[in-house]
Short mmCIF file of all heavy atoms in Angstrom, two decimals:
data_model
loop_
_atom_site.label_atom_id
_atom_site.label_comp_id
_atom_site.label_asym_id
_atom_site.label_seq_id
_atom_site.Cartn_x
_atom_site.Cartn_y
_atom_site.Cartn_z
N SER A 276 -0.30 6.89 -15.67
CA SER A 276 0.56 7.94 -15.01
C SER A 276 1.05 7.33 -13.72
O SER A 276 2.24 7.52 -13.32
CB SER A 276 -0.30 9.13 -14.67
OG SER A 276 -0.72 9.77 -15.83
N MET A 277 0.33 6.44 -13.07
CA MET A 277 0.78 5.80 -11.81
C MET A 277 2.04 4.80 -12.21
O MET A 277 2.98 4.87 -11.44
CB MET A 277 -0.25 4.88 -11.29
CG MET A 277 -1.15 5.61 -10.27
SD MET A 277 -2.27 4.43 -9.39
CE MET A 277 -1.08 3.47 -8.43
N ALA A 278 1.85 4.08 -13.33
CA ALA A 278 2.90 3.13 -13.73
C ALA A 278 4.16 3.95 -14.05
O ALA A 278 5.34 3.51 -13.75
CB ALA A 278 2.35 2.37 -14.98
N LEU A 279 4.07 5.04 -14.73
CA LEU A 279 5.23 5.83 -15.12
C LEU A 279 5.88 6.61 -13.95
O LEU A 279 7.02 6.69 -13.87
CB LEU A 279 4.85 6.81 -16.25
CG LEU A 279 4.83 6.23 -17.56
CD1 LEU A 279 4.19 7.18 -18.63
CD2 LEU A 279 6.28 5.89 -18.01
N ALA A 280 4.98 6.99 -12.91
CA ALA A 280 5.47 7.52 -11.65
C ALA A 280 6.30 6.50 -10.99
O ALA A 280 7.45 6.82 -10.50
CB ALA A 280 4.35 7.98 -10.84
N ALA A 281 5.90 5.24 -10.91
CA ALA A 281 6.54 4.13 -10.38
C ALA A 281 7.88 3.85 -11.10
O ALA A 281 8.94 3.63 -10.45
CB ALA A 281 5.74 2.85 -10.34
N MET A 282 7.93 3.93 -12.40
CA MET A 282 9.06 3.87 -13.22
C MET A 282 10.12 4.89 -12.72
O MET A 282 11.26 4.63 -12.65
CB MET A 282 8.77 3.90 -14.69
CG MET A 282 9.85 3.48 -15.48
SD MET A 282 10.11 1.66 -15.48
CE MET A 282 8.58 1.07 -16.13
N GLY A 283 9.58 6.11 -12.58
CA GLY A 283 10.52 7.23 -12.17
C GLY A 283 11.09 6.99 -10.77
O GLY A 283 12.23 7.30 -10.56
N LEU A 284 10.29 6.37 -9.83
CA LEU A 284 10.67 6.10 -8.54
C LEU A 284 11.80 4.90 -8.53
O LEU A 284 12.43 4.81 -7.46
CB LEU A 284 9.56 5.70 -7.68
CG LEU A 284 8.56 6.79 -7.31
CD1 LEU A 284 7.25 6.17 -6.70
CD2 LEU A 284 9.17 7.83 -6.44
N GLU A 285 12.03 4.36 -9.59
CA GLU A 285 13.00 3.27 -9.69
C GLU A 285 14.23 3.71 -10.58
O GLU A 285 15.02 2.92 -10.80
CB GLU A 285 12.41 2.04 -10.27
CG GLU A 285 11.42 1.37 -9.40
CD GLU A 285 12.17 0.60 -8.19
OE1 GLU A 285 13.03 -0.24 -8.40
OE2 GLU A 285 11.85 0.97 -7.08
N THR A 286 14.25 5.01 -10.91
CA THR A 286 15.20 5.44 -11.84
C THR A 286 16.29 6.25 -11.17
O THR A 286 16.12 7.22 -10.49
CB THR A 286 14.59 6.34 -12.96
OG1 THR A 286 13.64 5.62 -13.66
CG2 THR A 286 15.66 6.81 -13.97
N ASP A 287 17.63 5.90 -11.44
CA ASP A 287 18.78 6.59 -10.86
C ASP A 287 19.44 7.41 -11.94
O ASP A 287 19.82 7.00 -12.97
CB ASP A 287 19.78 5.42 -10.42
CG ASP A 287 20.89 6.03 -9.63
OD1 ASP A 287 21.25 7.30 -9.88
OD2 ASP A 287 21.52 5.33 -8.85
N PHE A 288 19.56 8.68 -11.70
CA PHE A 288 20.13 9.60 -12.73
C PHE A 288 21.57 9.23 -12.99
O PHE A 288 22.01 9.36 -14.19
CB PHE A 288 20.11 11.11 -12.09
CG PHE A 288 18.70 11.76 -12.37
CD1 PHE A 288 18.48 12.88 -11.59
CD2 PHE A 288 17.79 11.24 -13.14
CE1 PHE A 288 17.23 13.54 -11.64
CE2 PHE A 288 16.55 11.85 -13.28
CZ PHE A 288 16.25 13.02 -12.58
N ALA A 289 22.26 8.76 -12.03
CA ALA A 289 23.79 8.41 -12.36
C ALA A 289 23.79 7.35 -13.41
O ALA A 289 24.69 7.29 -14.32
CB ALA A 289 24.38 7.86 -11.03
N LYS A 290 22.88 6.30 -13.33
CA LYS A 290 22.80 5.27 -14.33
C LYS A 290 22.35 5.79 -15.74
O LYS A 290 22.77 5.31 -16.76
CB LYS A 290 21.86 4.15 -13.87
CG LYS A 290 22.41 3.43 -12.62
CD LYS A 290 21.48 2.30 -12.26
CE LYS A 290 22.05 1.63 -10.96
NZ LYS A 290 21.13 0.47 -10.46
N LEU A 291 21.47 6.81 -15.74
CA LEU A 291 21.04 7.49 -16.93
C LEU A 291 22.27 8.10 -17.70
O LEU A 291 22.44 8.02 -18.83
CB LEU A 291 19.97 8.50 -16.72
CG LEU A 291 18.53 7.96 -16.62
CD1 LEU A 291 17.54 9.10 -16.33
CD2 LEU A 291 18.04 7.18 -17.81
N ARG A 292 23.02 8.89 -16.86
CA ARG A 292 24.13 9.48 -17.42
C ARG A 292 25.16 8.55 -18.05
O ARG A 292 25.85 8.81 -18.95
CB ARG A 292 24.86 10.43 -16.34
CG ARG A 292 24.06 11.70 -15.93
CD ARG A 292 24.90 12.60 -15.19
NE ARG A 292 25.38 12.08 -13.93
CZ ARG A 292 24.57 12.23 -12.79
NH1 ARG A 292 23.46 12.87 -12.77
NH2 ARG A 292 25.05 11.64 -11.65
N ALA A 293 25.26 7.41 -17.38
CA ALA A 293 26.24 6.46 -17.80
C ALA A 293 25.85 5.87 -19.25
O ALA A 293 26.77 5.36 -19.98
CB ALA A 293 26.23 5.19 -16.85
N LYS A 294 24.61 6.00 -19.65
CA LYS A 294 24.20 5.56 -21.00
C LYS A 294 24.78 6.41 -22.18
O LYS A 294 24.85 6.03 -23.26
CB LYS A 294 22.65 5.66 -21.07
CG LYS A 294 21.91 4.71 -20.19
CD LYS A 294 22.07 3.36 -20.64
CE LYS A 294 21.39 2.33 -19.68
NZ LYS A 294 21.56 0.91 -19.96
#
Side-chain angles (χ1 to χ4, degrees):
S276 299
M277 271 189 68
L279 279 166
M282 194 70 65
L284 291 169
E285 289 288 303
T286 301
D287 186 338
F288 281 164
K290 293 180 180 178
L291 279 180
R292 287 194 296 271
K294 296 289 180 183

